[in-house]
């Protein structure tokens, strides 16, 4: 009897109308996440001014969001691996939109702090959107489509900077919180027509359901499925002792039908079995390196977002030998943030070129080292124009590296632990988000600009080395 796999079916049908609709829906999820995170660079100074809170409490307002994302990334990854990608998408979206809207009505600082923490928990599910989307994309052009998917993140950052520029000058920060929650609400009415991932359905032994989804794709794309019946990688039946290296273990195994016993064992083990597998001898090196690379990318990217709103003020204040005094012009702040947000567009173009020519690993370490080069001159005080130029370059390559990383992680993990693996790695990245306000804000306001930038440089350099040491290249490789 002839058989075919999900990868073979997707490769034959190609990227068409069906995947385009999945792209738009998942992309809106990333727009929502990027807007919630860009919001941090605007709300903190305004809340500090209105409620007279300390600079430390202002930094804490950003850190608690990332602390929530750390928890949310693990939780939503587990939910989507155990109960389905659609379930993870729905509940993370409902949760984020609800608490994001409520945070606009916070009566005091502590209430706002608690609600923004919960927003972080909801936004922590953003990685489920990217994993879900990639599971519908053919292997041969997955890198290009992931880069195009990341354009939605940039749309969110530019939209939030534009929104802040208009809303805060005319209204106040509470209205900005309300409007920032809107993209999440827009996702909810369309949830009923979103498909479950055929890879997930196969992993749960729901072969007939997976076949129905593939038939929907074929009908929408006006193409045909391969002849025969659908089969699936039998991941958990592979004897790990038969493999001598981590690279061999990660390569696609022989196609076999998914057995009921595999599903029952995966359901009974839950998150503990998934974590045990991620930390097994075969995956340990990959997992630990990915955790650090996610930490470094988050630290640098979100640090650059915060540096945009802090560095010029620190230059003006500290050059006179005084401690930091807030003296920024709101219009200049929004302009600088808008301009540096636009830097993500050339960053995406560069990553689109590099990722298919040179592969995932080389693209990441090259862009991390280049970001390091752009950031280096800022260890010394520069004029406002040069500061913006260097931040523009650093932001472009940081975005490019982060984009390729978000492609690489779902590609390298098997389906049964993909969302959990990416979720935990993303959670490790959120630790970088928690720490970066302490460096980007607190150290600058203490006039320790050189030390802050050198810390960024060290993190970038070590991340570049870690990317070089990753055990496998996933360019053109099928997703297990």
């Amino acid at each position: 009897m002839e058989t075919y796999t999900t990868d073979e079916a997707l490769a034959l049908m190609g990227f068409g109308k069906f995947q385009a609709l999945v792209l738009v829906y998942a992309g809106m999820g990333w727009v929502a996440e990027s807007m919630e995170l860009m919001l941090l660079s605007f709300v903190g100074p305004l809340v500090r001014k209105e409620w007279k809170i300390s600079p430390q409490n202002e930094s804490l307002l950003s850190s608690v969001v990332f602390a929530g994302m750390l928890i949310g990334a693990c939780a939503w990854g587990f939910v989507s691996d155990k109960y389905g990608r659609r379930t993870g998408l729905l509940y993370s979206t409902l949760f984020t939109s609800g608490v994001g809207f409520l945070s606009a009505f916070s009566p005091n600082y502590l209430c706002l702090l608690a609600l923004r923490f919960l927003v972080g928990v909801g936004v922590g599910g953003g990685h489920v959107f990217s994993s879900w989307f990639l599971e519908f994309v053919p292997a041969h052009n997955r890198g290009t489509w992931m880069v195009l998917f990341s354009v939605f993140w940039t749309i969110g950052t530019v939209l939030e900077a534009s929104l802040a520029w208009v809303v805060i000058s005319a209204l106040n920060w509470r209205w900005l919180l309300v409007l920032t929650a809107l993209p999440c609400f827009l996702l909810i009415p369309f949830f009923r027509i979103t498909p479950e991932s055929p890879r997930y359905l196969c992993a749960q032994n729901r072969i007939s359901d997976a076949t129905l989804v593939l038939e929907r794709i074929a009908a929408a794309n006006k193409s045909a499925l391969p002849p025969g019946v659908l089969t699936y990688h039998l991941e958990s039946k592979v004897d790990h002792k038969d493999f001598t290296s981590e690279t061999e273990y990660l390569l696609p195994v022989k196609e076999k039908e998914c057995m009921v016993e595999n599903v029952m064992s995966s359901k009974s083990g839950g998150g503990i079995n998934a974590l045990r597998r991620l930390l097994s001898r075969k995956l340990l090196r990959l997992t630990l390196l990915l955790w650090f690379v996610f930490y470094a990318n988050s630290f640098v990217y979100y640090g650059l977002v915060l540096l945009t709103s802090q560095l010029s003020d620190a230059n003006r204040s500290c050059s006179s030998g005084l401690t930091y005094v807030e003296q920024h012009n709101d219009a200049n702040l929004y302009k600088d943030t808008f301009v540096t947000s636009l830097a993500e567009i050339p960053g995406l173009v560069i990553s689109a070129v590099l990722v298919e020519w040179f592969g995932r690993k080389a693209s990441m370490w090259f862009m991390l080292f280049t970001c390091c080069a752009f950031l280096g001159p800022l260890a010394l005080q520069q004029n406002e124009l040069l500061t913006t130029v260097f931040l523009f370059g650093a932001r472009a390559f940081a975005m490019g590296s982060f984009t390729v990383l978000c492609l690489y992680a779902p590609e390298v993990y098997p389906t049964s632990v993909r969302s959990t693996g990416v979720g935990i790695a993303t959670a490790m990245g959120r630790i970088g988000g928690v720490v970066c306000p302490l460096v980007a804000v607190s150290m600058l306001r203490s006039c320790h600009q050189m030390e802050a930038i050198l810390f960024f440089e060290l993190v970038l350099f070590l991340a570049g080395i870690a990317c070089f040491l990753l055990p496998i290249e996933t360019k053109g490789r099928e997703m297990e």
Side-chain angles (χ1 to χ4, degrees):
M1 180 184 294
E2 287 189 87
T3 61
Y4 63 89
T5 66
T6 306
D7 275 301
E8 289 168 348
L10 292 174
L12 182 64
M13 292 184 291
F15 193 102
K17 178 182 177 182
F18 189 94
Q19 285 94 339
L21 294 174
V22 171
L23 169 64
V24 172
Y25 190 87
M28 283 301 298
W30 262 33
V31 168
E33 180 176 352
S34 65
M35 289 180 70
E36 290 288 357
L37 294 177
M38 276 297 295
L39 180 71
L40 302 177
S41 61
F42 302 116
V43 169
L46 296 169
V47 168
R48 181 162 63 92
K49 186 185 298 183
E50 180 174 325
W51 286 341
K52 304 296 188 293
I53 62 174
S54 67
Q56 290 74 25
N57 283 337
E58 178 192 346
S59 299
L60 188 61
L61 200 57
S62 295
S63 294
V64 295
V65 175
F66 290 104
M69 293 175 74
L70 188 155
I71 296 170
C74 295
W76 297 120
F78 170 71
V79 167
S80 64
D81 272 341
K82 188 172 180 63
Y83 301 105
R85 310 303 193 229
R86 293 178 78 244
T87 302
L89 295 177
L90 174 64
Y91 287 105
S92 65
T93 300
L94 286 171
F95 191 87
T96 304
S97 57
V99 293
F101 183 78
L102 287 175
S103 67
F105 301 95
S106 302
N108 53 50
Y109 171 76
L110 288 178
C111 183
L112 180 63
L113 197 69
L115 287 170
R116 295 314 294 177
F117 170 79
L118 294 177
V119 168
V121 173
V123 171
H127 67 88
V128 179
F129 284 96
S130 59
S131 295
W132 176 69
F133 167 66
L134 285 176
E135 290 181 343
F136 288 93
V137 180
H140 67 277
N141 56 4
R142 199 162 50 224
T144 301
W145 284 110
M146 182 60 194
V147 172
L148 290 174
F149 173 68
S150 298
V151 170
F152 286 92
W153 182 280
T154 301
I155 291 171
T157 61
V158 174
L159 182 59
E160 185 66 24
S162 306
L163 200 61
W165 200 342
V166 174
V167 172
I168 292 178
S169 59
L171 300 167
N172 56 43
W173 60 268
R174 294 181 186 274
W175 278 100
L176 185 61
L177 292 180
V178 170
L179 294 173
T180 300
L182 282 181
C184 270
F185 282 108
L186 295 177
L187 290 172
I188 297 171
F190 299 98
F191 175 77
R192 289 177 60 86
I193 62 173
T194 58
E196 183 56 270
S197 162
R199 297 179 192 275
Y200 170 80
L201 293 171
C202 280
Q204 299 300 305
N205 198 35
R206 295 165 59 183
I207 303 298
S208 58
D209 290 337
T211 303
L212 288 175
V213 174
L214 292 174
E215 288 172 351
R216 283 181 61 189
I217 297 174
N221 292 358
K222 297 181 179 179
S223 57
L225 290 173
V229 296
L230 178 64
T231 61
Y232 179 65
H233 294 292
L234 188 58
E235 296 165 355
S236 50
K237 286 289 183 182
V238 177
D239 184 1
H240 295 179
K241 294 179 182 178
D242 293 341
F243 295 95
T244 57
S245 72
E246 181 174 26
T247 301
E248 290 175 321
Y249 168 63
L250 289 170
L251 289 173
V253 297
K254 184 180 178 182
E255 299 289 350
K256 299 180 182 179
E257 274 197 71
C258 185
M259 306 295 288
V260 176
E261 299 91 91
N262 299 334
V263 180
M264 296 306 294
S265 64
S266 68
K267 285 185 175 179
S268 63
I272 300 300
N273 273 352
L275 183 60
R276 187 181 295 121
R277 185 171 184 187
L278 292 171
L279 296 177
S280 67
R281 182 173 59 87
K282 301 297 183 182
L283 288 173
L284 181 62
R285 177 184 168 192
L286 168 72
T287 297
L288 293 180
L289 286 171
L290 269 183
W291 285 0
F292 178 72
V293 176
F294 264 96
Y295 168 87
N297 272 271
S298 293
F299 179 90
V300 171
Y301 178 83
Y302 298 121
L304 287 170
V305 171
L306 294 172
L307 281 176
T308 303
S309 62
Q310 302 291 337
L311 201 54
S312 294
D313 283 347
N315 281 340
R316 287 193 292 267
S317 297
C318 297
S319 61
S320 62
L322 302 173
T323 57
Y324 182 95
V325 178
E326 184 177 8
Q327 52 179 308
H328 64 258
N329 180 281
D330 286 344
N332 285 337
L333 167 62
Y334 303 140
K335 181 192 69 176
D336 292 344
T337 306
F338 181 81
V339 170
T340 53
S341 295
L342 291 176
E344 296 185 4
I345 297 174
L348 291 173
V349 173
I350 294 168
S351 63
V353 173
L354 294 178
V355 75
E356 295 297 354
W357 284 6
F358 302 108
R360 285 40 164 166
K361 290 170 54 180
S363 299
M364 285 190 286
W365 61 252
F366 171 77
M367 286 187 282
L368 286 168
F369 288 144
T370 307
C371 179
C372 192
F374 271 103
L375 205 53
L378 295 175
L380 302 176
Q381 293 183 4
Q382 309 288 343
N383 62 47
E384 190 165 341
L385 176 60
L386 282 178
T387 296
T388 302
V389 169
F390 287 130
L391 284 174
F392 187 96
R395 179 81 171 267
F397 285 95
M399 179 61 184
S401 172
F402 216 156
T403 298
V404 179
L405 179 61
C406 289
L407 165 66
Y408 179 83
E411 285 184 327
V412 81
Y413 279 129
T415 301
S416 61
V417 293
R418 180 170 296 126
S419 280
T420 301
V422 177
I424 295 175
T426 304
M428 295 300 168
R430 302 318 179 196
I431 298 175
V434 172
V435 175
C436 77
L438 305 177
V439 176
V441 178
S442 298
M443 290 183 73
L444 283 177
R445 290 188 168 175
S446 302
C447 294
H448 293 113
Q449 178 174 328
M450 179 176 287
E451 291 85 346
I453 298 300
L454 289 178
F455 192 83
F456 276 96
E457 295 279 272
L458 176 63
V459 171
L460 280 165
F461 179 78
L462 293 177
I465 298 297
C467 289
F468 187 80
L469 296 175
L470 286 167
I472 189 169
E473 173 58 59
T474 60
K475 177 187 173 185
R477 174 178 174 269
E478 292 184 354
M479 295 176 76
E480 271 191 49

